[in-house]
Amino acid sequence: RQIETGFPYLPSGCHMQLDAVATREVLENIRNSLPSTWRAKAQELSRVAEGRSDITLKRFLDESGLALDDIYSNNHSWSDLLESGGIPTLPNGAHEATLRRALGRLLHVDDPERIEQYKAWSQLSHAPDLATLPARQRRLLHMLTGVLCESVRPQPATLADAATLLWQHPQVLAELRELAQVLADQIEHVPLPLATHPDVPLAIHGRYNRREILAAFHGGDGFPLPDWREGVRWHADHQVDLFAITLDKSSEHFSPTTRYRDYAISPTLLHWESQSTTRADSPTGRRYQQHTADAASRALPFARLTTKDAFWFLGPATYVSHEGERPMAVTWRLAQPLPGDLQGKFAAAVG
């Protein structure tokens, strides 16, 4: 990272610069020195763990130079690597392989509340008692199980069933605990509370996938979550419009009719285009125009760069103006300014 970014963290008075060719050569040499195959990673783990009884995911990453993506690529997990490296693991559960693969879908988690709560739960010998959990924690549990148990078949019928199933897999919980410790060191933005919905465990500028967003607003005992494939979703129970915005629409996932122009105008202004069928005088179009600071309903945009990314939650937005219809080109004002790095990424995405 230092080489790629031009050594920005050298001591005061120090300067180091590599030309483009030298930079490529050095980076290539570094990459070649790291274990790239699964077998090589397992051998590296055996080397690092030799003579130790306290090997952890964090220690292995620190000493091997690998990143989380190197461990969780190709549907692998830390537990898989431990077994490949000859290190004992806890007994398997009935859905071990499915849940291990699902742990790789948590790598975007980046707010202290989720990380600390998941770490605390992973140390319990049995599932939390839902009857004693406040609404916010019940939704956090639904966010966790909603991601991990998404591919379990048959699907659990209730949140309690999903929690019970997860706690029947002690090695998965052990890995969750170690993963949480690594994720805590990778937080890039200071999370801000969502004051408009105190029972909804979403942090402004945190990252979420669609299932986590739906689970955060889900208040019932049922476990299955509805499908959400389109870019907008009206949640009547909470009176919120949820916008799932993908800024780079150059991939094959978008047809010419869905390549809307969405980008950051400034740290507080967001340009967004509605679905191609939305008229300004339709119930949906009028609702967008009525999303003001004192409105009964809210607009909550979530944005990502590509379809492979999780969404950053941008926080509440209020209507400023619009042009045209089918689609409506709406300008939203964000209650919380974008961090500098996100503003740069979101403004550049329009190119």
Side-chain angles (χ1 to χ4, degrees):
R1 284 197 297 270
Q2 291 271 10
I3 295 169
E4 289 174 332
T5 56
F7 303 96
Y9 301 113
L10 292 176
S12 177
C14 297
H15 175 73
M16 184 171 179
Q17 183 175 354
L18 296 175
D19 64 34
V21 174
T23 297
R24 287 197 300 270
E25 292 287 341
V26 172
L27 286 173
E28 185 63 23
N29 286 337
I30 291 174
R31 293 189 184 100
N32 289 338
S33 72
L34 297 175
S36 57
T37 66
W38 187 253
R39 181 179 179 183
K41 293 171 189 175
Q43 291 173 341
E44 177 69 3
L45 174 59
S46 298
R47 183 193 67 79
V48 172
E50 186 175 1
R52 291 175 172 169
S53 59
D54 59 347
I55 186 65
T56 64
L57 175 59
K58 184 179 188 309
R59 173 167 291 177
F60 177 64
L61 294 178
D62 289 343
E63 297 197 19
S64 67
L66 295 172
L68 277 178
D69 287 342
D70 297 317
I71 306 299
Y72 288 91
S73 61
N74 298 319
N75 285 325
H76 286 126
S77 71
W78 170 239
S79 299
D80 295 339
L81 190 61
L82 289 173
E83 292 176 347
S84 296
I87 297 174
T89 57
L90 297 172
N92 289 353
H95 301 278
E96 191 76 19
T98 299
L99 295 181
R100 287 189 187 184
R101 286 196 299 269
L103 285 164
R105 297 197 287 268
L106 293 175
L107 303 191
H108 63 275
V109 173
D110 63 350
D111 66 276
E113 181 181 20
R114 266 186 300 174
I115 292 172
E116 291 305 315
Q117 186 62 78
Y118 292 176
K119 188 190 303 184
W121 279 333
S122 69
Q123 299 177 61
L124 299 178
S125 60
H126 52 79
D129 181 0
L130 269 62
T132 66
L133 293 182
R136 189 178 180 94
Q137 288 193 352
R138 285 173 62 92
R139 288 172 174 157
L140 277 170
L141 184 60
H142 203 156
M143 292 166 73
L144 174 62
T145 55
V147 172
L148 295 185
C149 300
E150 175 182 2
S151 299
V152 170
R153 294 294 181 270
Q155 279 268 284
T158 67
L159 178 56
D161 292 340
T164 298
L165 183 149
L166 176 57
W167 261 263
Q168 292 170 348
H169 297 78
Q171 180 57 40
V172 172
L173 292 170
E175 180 171 342
L176 175 62
R177 180 164 59 255
E178 295 194 33
L179 177 59
Q181 292 171 345
V182 175
L183 294 175
D185 293 334
Q186 299 185 357
I187 297 173
E188 296 181 344
H189 302 110
V190 176
L192 302 171
L194 179 60
T196 57
H197 297 81
D199 287 336
V200 174
L202 297 176
I204 300 172
H205 303 149
R207 300 185 76 184
Y208 305 90
N209 62 30
R210 292 178 193 254
R211 290 184 65 80
E212 289 174 302
I213 297 168
L214 291 175
F217 283 97
H218 190 75
D221 294 328
F223 174 73
L225 294 166
D227 288 334
W228 179 15
R229 303 185 185 279
E230 62 279 4
V232 296
R233 187 176 186 87
W234 167 245
H235 200 301
D237 290 346
H238 287 270
Q239 293 289 291
V240 295
D241 274 297
L242 303 173
F243 302 143
I245 304 168
T246 302
L247 297 165
D248 181 0
K249 300 183 175 65
S250 58
S251 76
E252 68 278 6
H253 296 282
F254 295 91
S255 68
T257 60
T258 59
R259 288 178 179 164
Y260 309 118
R261 287 169 50 85
D262 305 324
Y263 56 92
I265 301 171
S266 73
T268 56
L269 294 178
L270 180 69
H271 181 279
W272 171 81
E273 292 189 354
S274 71
Q275 290 181 305
S276 59
T277 58
T278 304
R279 294 184 178 275
D281 62 352
S282 68
T284 299
R286 290 196 299 271
R287 189 175 68 245
Y288 293 161
Q289 297 169 67
Q290 293 164 3
H291 280 314
T292 57
D294 57 352
S297 61
R298 302 283 178 177
L300 300 179
F302 298 78
R304 62 183 178 181
L305 292 177
T306 73
T307 56
K308 297 180 180 179
D309 300 324
F311 295 90
W312 280 281
F313 178 33
L314 307 187
T318 54
Y319 170 86
V320 176
S321 63
H322 78 275
E323 294 181 357
E325 58 180 20
R326 303 179 63 188
M328 296 172 62
V330 182
T331 297
W332 299 100
R333 185 180 305 280
L334 301 174
Q336 298 291 342
L338 291 171
D341 62 326
L342 294 188
Q343 198 272 329
K345 292 175 183 176
F346 292 176
V350 70

